[in-house]
Amino acid sequence: MRTSHLLFPVFLALFATLSTLPAAAGAVPSTPAQWQEPSIACTAPGAVVLGRDLDGDGDPDEVEIHLEIDEIQEEVYPGQYETFWVFAPPGEEMCSPARAPSPTIRVEEGDHVRIVMHNTHYFPHTIHVHGTIHPNAADGVPMVTQAPTRPGGEFAYEFVAKHPGTFWYHCHVHPSVHVLMGLAGMLVIEPNRRENNFRHLIVGAGRIPDPARAVREAGYTKEYSLVYSDLDDRLNRIVSSTRDPREIERRMHRDYDSTQRQPNIFLLNGRSFPFTLRDTPIEVKPGDRVLLRILNAGARTLALHTHGHHPILLSQDGYDVPAAMRYARDVYTVSPAQRIDLELRAGSDDTHASGEGVWLFHDHTEQAVTNNGIGPGGDLTMIIYDSFMGEGKLPKVATSLKPFFNPDYYRGKVPVFDPSIFHTDPGKYPQGGSSGDSAGKAAYPVRRDITVASDEAHELEEHRIIAKSCPQPRGSRRIHVKEGAQYARPGEVYGFEPSEIHAERCEEVELVLENTDSVRHDMMIPGLDPMFALDFTGPGIRTIRFVTPDEDITLPFHCHVPAHEKMGMLGALVVGKGAAPKAGQANQQGPLHEGIGTVISTDLRKGRIVIDHREIPGFMAAMTMSYAVNPATLLQGLQARVEVRFTIDEDQRAIVKIAPLK
């Protein structure tokens, strides 16, 4: 049901044009290289397309990358959910690879690069490739080098990767909002080498699993992409306060004053401590030489400090520091938009490293190691030697890290010190307010209440079974539905036409779906068992069949691409005379539900699993679905294509038990 985002005729025509450009001296353009881009879980085919080896050195030199723009909600530290906008490779149906930060893009010096931005979002956007040598037409500055790409449209940025180094890319439409919402990622141009094959997208940044040949030749044993950012939760929560894009535009771009911005959440690769330990620990062993690529994608200056180590400065803003001018420090200043490359030497040499252990790595502007004012938190991670790695992929420490994984700790409900110090227990602590003025206001800055509910409950609720398809259709009909930006009503960005469709009971419906946009849309009837869904990138037409229930009922349908339902892509299928689902019909099983399915992918960093599962009676139709897993350590050892039995806890909105079937 899913089509590639790549328009093959356009792509081949592009590379036919590129082939007229001169290759390296003495080189003959060859047939497409044999390297196969590793798959990314939940990503549609065609997200990364590799072309020919133009210089005959054994690796592809034509690279086309497709990115859409997704609105996502993520748990950044225990109990705290924030909304981001991110660039992401296109997802498929019920599954998306999108996460913060936007993916790290890697290409090779001399590559002919084409980045196609599909604007699946509800605001105009562009991509600016920051710091690279590229044509003015590919600079991504709205109104100057291009019109901003409207929702439903696409724009291709084409350039030859020239100077190797660490760069970045970001949206240049109202960057005081869009960049800080997450529309930014690292861009690495690797030096040209023979047979220089590597994956071109690293979702979520972090550990780079396959360093390029030049990195390995230089003697580095590990490589990390570290993207630092900060957010003022008052900005990020605007998008969940209303479904009207006009109101979101007013509040974000006119009412919100970015000159009075007060960041209170500080992120490393989209996570705050303690989740940074699960997401981006710097894992080393004695003798390692580790390449750290660092990007400050936030709006404040960093003072990055490594305990027990003095990394060596290798490059700034993509350009190497001459060998004679390199130096070692334990604190590096990184201004907004700047990049630095550091060499971290592991071991004990009395100069660069102090020996094995668990060493903090954090921003030394002290508020940055808190979560909304409570520490430890923020962008703090750790350099963890292999001999100090403990159970659950967490470091061995002197006491315990367990208290920091309790959401109540960061809600201020748990004392930060052991209550026995004060010879009392938490229930006997005095309540706040006594140190304030007569009105009860504290005489000091007080933390903001920033609790935001997870979207997970809504996600599970709207995919419950409401009705079952009739086992034997008694008739048939054909329905044509169009979808796209041009069918939106006032106050919407996207829409269906018609938004209400009719069929009789027990009819086989041939649905003809016409996507008139250049982005991904889908149509899904989530309450129907078996679930009906059709997902593809337009413009184009696809057809699918389903059978209506043998009852008068009204079933909602929607587009499952992030934010599209919110922006107008919601409709109803009226079966027979139509009726609301019977009371209790959606759920008769209680809060725990048992299921069986096949693992598609796991993501320990996000604490999520994608399962192609059978029907869960009384709860959910058979479908491929992404679920949170609590605790995330349940995912350890689970492999793709393994059949599992699992338990979903509605109260936690997560899988709480999972094990392979014997």
Side-chain angles (χ1 to χ4, degrees):
M1 298 181 187
R2 186 71 175 85
T3 63
S4 168
H5 277 240
L6 175 65
L7 301 177
F8 280 94
V10 175
F11 181 71
L12 294 175
L14 164 72
F15 283 157
T17 302
L18 291 176
S19 66
T20 64
L21 300 174
V28 178
S30 69
T31 57
Q34 297 304 307
W35 164 257
Q36 297 295 316
E37 186 77 12
S39 62
I40 301 172
C42 298
T43 299
V48 178
V49 182
L50 305 178
R52 294 171 301 166
D53 177 2
L54 297 176
D55 56 10
D57 67 351
D59 57 67
D61 299 311
E62 299 169 322
V63 180
E64 178 165 291
I65 294 172
H66 292 255
L67 298 174
E68 60 184 27
I69 300 174
D70 291 340
E71 180 174 291
I72 59 173
Q73 186 191 66
E74 302 213 284
E75 188 178 15
V76 294
Y77 60 81
Q80 184 59 35
Y81 294 87
E82 294 294 342
T83 301
F84 297 89
W85 299 340
V86 295
F87 296 108
E92 36 183 11
E93 296 183 2
M94 297 293 296
C95 187
S96 171
R99 64 153 286 174
S102 298
T104 293
I105 297 175
R106 303 164 72 207
V107 296
E108 185 189 41
E109 177 186 12
D111 280 354
H112 295 258
V113 181
R114 188 171 191 256
I115 300 175
V116 183
M117 184 192 75
H118 302 266
N119 190 1
T120 47
H121 197 244
Y122 47 86
F123 286 161
H125 296 288
T126 68
I127 291 180
H128 168 63
V129 281
H130 184 121
T132 64
I133 303 299
H134 55 262
N136 184 242
D139 202 39
V141 180
M143 278 76 74
V144 177
T145 62
Q146 68 168 99
T149 304
R150 295 168 63 92
E154 66 176 43
F155 194 92
Y157 300 87
E158 302 177 32
F159 60 95
V160 175
K162 294 185 180 287
H163 187 86
T166 303
F167 305 97
W168 68 304
Y169 65 100
H170 60 84
C171 178
H172 219 294
V173 175
H174 292 275
S176 62
V177 170
H178 292 205
V179 172
L180 300 176
M181 285 294 295
L183 289 174
M186 187 178 288
L187 169 63
V188 178
I189 300 178
E190 305 282 5
N192 190 293
R193 295 290 190 273
R194 291 193 59 82
E195 298 180 353
N196 199 17
N197 294 306
F198 50 80
R199 66 194 69 204
H200 292 78
L201 284 180
I202 306 294
V203 173
R207 174 79 176 270
I208 293 178
D210 53 352
R213 184 170 291 275
V215 173
R216 302 195 307 271
E217 288 175 354
Y220 295 106
T221 52
K222 294 183 176 71
E223 181 180 5
Y224 287 85
S225 169
L226 306 178
V227 179
Y228 289 84
S229 58
D230 53 78
L231 60 88
D232 178 347
D233 77 286
R234 296 172 301 179
L235 173 65
N236 293 65
R237 68 170 56 187
I238 288 174
V239 298
S240 58
S241 64
T242 177
R243 300 173 70 92
D244 190 328
R246 300 166 297 185
E247 187 67 13
I248 296 174
E249 180 274 327
R250 179 183 65 80
R251 296 181 189 182
M252 296 189 84
H253 293 87
R254 289 182 279 159
D255 288 356
Y256 179 81
D257 184 354
S258 60
T259 66
Q260 298 185 49
R261 183 175 184 267
Q262 295 179 335
N264 61 329
I265 296 178
F266 308 91
L267 305 170
L268 167 59
N269 289 343
R271 302 292 185 267
S272 299
F273 177 89
F275 285 172
T276 50
L277 301 183
R278 187 177 70 191
D279 189 77
T280 312
I282 309 300
E283 300 181 63
V284 299
K285 62 181 184 299
D288 274 347
R289 293 175 61 216
V290 183
L291 176 60
L292 304 177
R293 299 184 186 269
I294 295 169
L295 161 65
N296 183 357
R300 38 179 295 283
T301 299
L302 305 173
L304 293 181
H305 171 49
T306 48
H307 288 214
H309 296 76
H310 289 71
I312 301 167
L313 180 67
L314 302 175
S315 69
Q316 293 178 299
D317 294 341
Y319 284 75
D320 290 344
V321 175
M325 298 177 64
R326 294 179 181 177
Y327 53 81
R329 283 184 177 175
D330 65 84
V331 179
Y332 281 94
T333 300
V334 189
S335 298
Q338 285 197 314
R339 292 85 57 214
I340 62 172
D341 290 358
L342 301 178
E343 177 184 323
L344 177 70
R345 295 183 180 179
S348 179
D349 61 5
D350 297 330
T351 302
H352 299 100
S354 300
E356 297 183 56
V358 180
W359 302 96
L360 268 60
F361 181 9
H362 62 94
D363 182 357
H364 223 302
T365 50
E366 306 307 339
Q367 68 270 27
V369 289
T370 74
N371 293 332
N372 191 36
I374 293 182
D379 55 29
L380 184 156
T381 188
M382 296 179 184
I383 302 166
I384 307 170
Y385 280 75
D386 57 354
S387 59
F388 280 78
M389 185 62 78
E391 294 182 0
K393 296 294 288 183
L394 291 174
K396 300 174 185 176
V397 297
T399 56
S400 173
L401 295 168
K402 185 177 180 179
F404 307 124
F405 286 89
N406 178 3
D408 282 345
Y409 180 85
Y410 292 109
R411 291 171 181 153
K413 297 180 179 180
V414 177
V416 300
F417 300 127
D418 183 349
S420 67
I421 295 173
F422 310 117
H423 305 284
T424 188
D425 62 72
K428 295 181 179 179
Y429 271 54
Q431 300 302 307
S434 60
S435 60
D437 58 20
S438 58
K441 295 182 179 179
Y444 47 80
V446 176
R447 297 187 315 113
R448 303 199 293 260
D449 178 10
I450 65 172
T451 303
V452 176
S454 167
D455 286 341
E456 202 81 41
H458 171 71
E459 184 80 0
L460 292 179
E461 182 65 32
E462 71 176 3
H463 290 96
R464 291 181 184 275
I465 296 172
I466 297 175
K468 288 181 174 289
S469 292
C470 184
Q472 185 62 46
R474 297 192 291 264
S476 63
R477 73 173 58 214
R478 190 169 189 262
I479 300 176
H480 189 174
V481 176
K482 298 179 181 181
E483 58 182 3
Q486 63 180 294
Y487 305 110
R489 294 170 288 275
E492 298 176 346
V493 178
Y494 302 107
F496 290 110
E497 178 58 42
S499 60
E500 183 175 290
I501 57 179
H502 293 259
E504 294 302 321
R505 297 163 60 156
C506 274
E507 276 194 327
E508 182 181 60
V509 176
E510 179 187 36
L511 181 77
V512 179
L513 188 62
E514 182 176 353
N515 180 354
T516 60
D517 287 338
S518 297
V519 303
R520 182 168 65 101
H521 289 306
D522 68 25
M523 181 175 172
M524 175 184 297
I525 305 178
L528 182 64
D529 186 15
M531 191 192 72
F532 152 75
L534 180 58
D535 176 282
F536 66 99
T537 295
I541 298 176
R542 299 289 186 274
T543 302
I544 195 171
R545 287 178 170 82
F546 66 93
V547 179
T548 60
D550 191 9
E551 60 179 303
D552 294 335
I553 193 169
T554 300
L555 298 172
F557 63 82
H558 65 227
C559 176
H560 203 268
V561 176
H564 285 197
E565 176 186 348
K566 180 171 82 170
M567 289 299 137
M569 298 196 75
L570 179 67
L573 165 64
V574 180
V575 180
K577 297 179 181 179
K582 298 175 184 177
Q585 183 174 350
N587 178 28
Q588 303 169 353
Q589 298 294 311
L592 295 178
H593 305 275
E594 301 288 335
I596 293 175
T598 302
V599 175
I600 302 300
S601 65
T602 62
D603 190 336
L604 186 61
R605 295 175 69 190
K606 293 177 70 174
R608 299 195 72 87
I609 189 170
V610 179
I611 301 180
D612 182 6
H613 62 73
R614 308 172 194 172
E615 177 188 344
I616 303 174
F619 179 62
M620 194 167 294
M623 66 176 72
T624 300
M625 186 78 170
S626 173
Y627 294 98
V629 179
N630 186 24
T633 51
L634 292 174
L635 296 173
Q636 291 180 3
L638 284 180
Q639 302 294 324
R641 298 184 295 278
V642 171
E643 194 169 28
V644 294
R645 184 185 302 275
F646 59 93
T647 301
I648 296 176
D649 185 327
E650 280 193 62
D651 293 337
Q652 294 192 46
R653 303 177 295 277
I655 289 176
V656 294
K657 293 182 181 179
I658 187 167
L661 284 176
K662 297 181 179 179

